[in-house]
Amino acid sequence: MAEISLTDLGGLIGGEVAGDGTTLIRTAAAFDAADADTITFADTAKVLKRVSASKAGAVIVPRDFSGSAETNLVYSDHPRLAFARALHFFFPSRKPATGISPRASIGENFEAGQDVSIGPLVCIGDNVAVGHRVVIYPGAVIGAGVIIGDDTVIYPNVVIIDGCRIGCRSIIHAGTVIGSDGYGFVPDGETHFKIPQTGIVQIDDDVEIGALNTIDRATFGRTWIKSGVKTDNQVHIGHNVIIGENSLVVAQVGIAGSTGIGRHVTLAGQAGIAGHIQIGDNAIIGPQAGVTRSVAEGQVVSGTPEMPHRLWLKVCRIMPRLPEIKKRIERLEVMANKSAGKDAQKPQNR
Amino acid sequence: MAEISLTDLGGLIGGEVAGDGTTLIRTAAAFDAADADTITFADTAKVLKRVSASKAGAVIVPRDFSGSAETNLVYSDHPRLAFARALHFFFPSRKPATGISPRASIGENFEAGQDVSIGPLVCIGDNVAVGHRVVIYPGAVIGAGVIIGDDTVIYPNVVIIDGCRIGCRSIIHAGTVIGSDGYGFVPDGETHFKIPQTGIVQIDDDVEIGALNTIDRATFGRTWIKSGVKTDNQVHIGHNVIIGENSLVVAQVGIAGSTGIGRHVTLAGQAGIAGHIQIGDNAIIGPQAGVTRSVAEGQVVSGTPEMPHRLWLKVCRIMPRLPEIKKRIERLEVMANKSAGKDAQKPQNR
Amino acid sequence: MAEISLTDLGGLIGGEVAGDGTTLIRTAAAFDAADADTITFADTAKVLKRVSASKAGAVIVPRDFSGSAETNLVYSDHPRLAFARALHFFFPSRKPATGISPRASIGENFEAGQDVSIGPLVCIGDNVAVGHRVVIYPGAVIGAGVIIGDDTVIYPNVVIIDGCRIGCRSIIHAGTVIGSDGYGFVPDGETHFKIPQTGIVQIDDDVEIGALNTIDRATFGRTWIKSGVKTDNQVHIGHNVIIGENSLVVAQVGIAGSTGIGRHVTLAGQAGIAGHIQIGDNAIIGPQAGVTRSVAEGQVVSGTPEMPHRLWLKVCRIMPRLPEIKKRIERLEVMANKSAGKDAQKPQNR
């Protein structure tokens, strides 16, 4: 198990240590689970109040934290980020042994960088090239002509179909399918005639794709997931979709074909994005939203149909009151008819 | 093929036989498909009316069934349960041959109980322990340090990542991924810095997990599926979620991270449950519901936003009438303005 | 690379060539990517306007296109269909080498037609029969007794559980699970007792099933996907569902158990269809719709709850105006109460 002085750890995670820098830190944990050899963090008012009572070896706090504590503190501009860095130190990612398993099936003309790890029961097609330190876990199937960049990790039973390209330092979680045919048919009488999907999927650097995603190959050209994109589990990305840098796609989202997602967009869980539209940079789409029209840069929209998020919150408060509202209208109608009746009667009375 | 006297079968399924107990029963089938050697059941008014016309070898009926029939009857407190037991007798679960296939890839220090069945092209990591009579179908990948209890069945191409624990008599259907990384990132400027997911997934006894589920490992500690939980296909369960005993999670439900689901809860198909909330024991969440706040014990909620189910049904009846309601409001406004106009005019007329 | 004279290509795709039939065509591409050796198509007013400026080797246009062009034209009743045919010529589907890989695991009594291709790390159970030219990609697991018709393609890591039947010329995309147990339980006190799922899945001819679908085996009999059905990715089909000929099921749709879908139906993305209902022939169900009641032949419905699509569009326009509508009602109430107050006062005034 790793062991490090608080001074050294502070340097590693980019924080300023206040207290005993010689304290030995042996792990990182959540606030309430932190013992004397543990570093933890506090960045909300609620938790910061309790820092003074912490028995942790060190607590990472915001620069402007003014409280006192018996424990060591590490001041940071981004306590949560500093803590995540500490976690990487104490919990380095699992790395299987390097080498190519004799129980893997390797196609012709395989090019592999240094220190790759190809697990048992991996199947690699012809003319595949993988970079240095690439890890391919058991059961993954890599199609002919696929190219995978340095330091990328492919988890068990992932399928990457022929010709697709994966960048460097990317992670593809278990069971995900990259490069299956896009859903394209043209009517032929009552039947549907298949449109060949001639393109590929290109995934750039520092991308993380969740488990059991499906990312379809393009009809022409490429379906393109740009650098820094992170998808959660069970996401579906249709053919010719482009997702811009550093966008987040939460679980069970579906993006229909030919849609463009900008940079640093967030698509919340179970949202559905129609085909052939554009979601602007920094837009946020709410959970379960059904988005059928393009969304401008920086917009926050929710609901089905999509609308500004603040409006959606108001609509959400009114929805459960619709039965009451209907009754109020009925009451108004009774009053109005009564009043109109009187008005109607008036001429007769004259 | 199994063959059993009605008397013996009645004992086995916990029912009281009325008629010829020596009748040989050879299979179990739905009411309309039941022949002279078949046991079936009737538990709805509609079907019970037709029992007298049945040609089945025996019909399982409720204790209070007062009708007469030419066929044999089996009285039961729970006809459907008794019938399910009969199905288990006539259709015992498929069991592949025991033994460890020479075409499986087995890691170091593998501990296996008696009569296990490890299929071809299974990959088992180091330090894995599986109980008696465990079945692991072809293509499954079991990570290092995984522990699997007695009588559990792992279907083809399931992936269980390092360190996860599965209880006894559980069933994991094909293609499901257990223990992939939770979706956790912390902003680092424009990019997203990965939070290591240091925990595991723990699945207890008598759990059934559908096909192509994703159950993420915890950031710290465990994502925990307790005894008797049954999930349908394509369910997503985020990191640190806890699901209580005997809850049902229907197809395509998504549960975001750190949410707690109580005991004996039902989450209907395609529902989305937000993160960091609590769903109380025995609650029922309707199909496609979008639940963003905690739900108390025993509540039945539906819709987006979630609301009491009875209220949701009313809202559902009003929704398609919104255009009509809007017109009624416009009419009221015309009337009101006219009336206000008259009132406004009146002073002049005076 | 394929090369063909325009005259021959016109014959192949069923179009009438106008221009130089000796032009050699070497590929097919989208309108804006078409060069002098490329065939493309135009079938919308917007693109047809630009045909005269095209540098393509040939442009497929509708029969009634009256514009002139310097490039060659191919007149067709269905330009898009003709173009898809051209794509098939220039981009024939990838075919791996024929033969049975020595690294596949083949059960007893395997019957295979001519020119099959069984990849490495495929696992085939006992008593499996596959037709001529069947392709099974690496990592697929085919259960005991499964039957697969001529020319069907099974992509990597597909799982087909025991006893299921797949027709001819069908395509099953990667990671899909066919024949896992339906979700059937009967209450047994607080717990849920499993109902054995004794049936199979039957998939007929010319079906295409997307990646990571789950199609459950029937409780009794069969779950049945009829000829010409095309499903997109991540579709869930419950036990005993029947889908009629040539229906389209878009990504992330869920169909609950025992529901019948007619012929030539379209279920748009993320729609949820309740169990035990009927969707009539040629019906269209909108995206994210929640359908809880049967839908008649030819109906177009959307929304949750489902309603006629045109009505849904109106409701969608009103939903974001609910806060405004609520205010209008409040104003009416103020006016009505004022007016009623006056009326109430009037008698006193008399």
Side-chain angles (χ1 to χ4, degrees), chain A residues 28-111:
Chain A
F31 190 82
D32 288 316
D35 290 327
D37 61 350
T38 309
I39 191 165
T40 187
F41 78 107
D43 69 347
T44 60
K46 200 172 159 188
V47 180
L48 284 166
K49 269 185 207 160
R50 297 167 54 214
V51 166
S52 59
S54 173
K55 295 195 158 49
V59 182
I60 309 169
V61 293
R63 290 266 180 214
D64 60 2
F65 176 66
S66 57
S68 64
E70 299 203 12
T71 185
N72 303 307
L73 296 180
V74 181
Y75 292 97
S76 164
D77 292 332
H78 302 290
R80 205 170 279 259
L81 179 57
F83 179 67
R85 287 195 181 119
L87 280 173
H88 275 276
F89 177 78
F90 293 109
F91 301 91
S93 62
R94 301 171 291 274
K95 280 271 177 184
T98 57
I100 298 178
S101 167
R103 301 190 86 142
S105 171
I106 309 291
E108 291 178 15
N109 195 26
F110 178 48
E111 287 180 41

Side-chain angles (χ1 to χ4, degrees), chain A residues 321-338:
Chain A
R321 298 181 58 185
L322 282 177
E324 172 217 315
I325 286 174
K326 184 160 155 282
K327 279 186 193 156
R328 285 161 65 182
I329 293 170
E330 285 160 3
R331 202 161 48 219
L332 282 167
E333 286 172 333
V334 168
M335 290 170 79
N337 288 335
K338 218 166 126 186

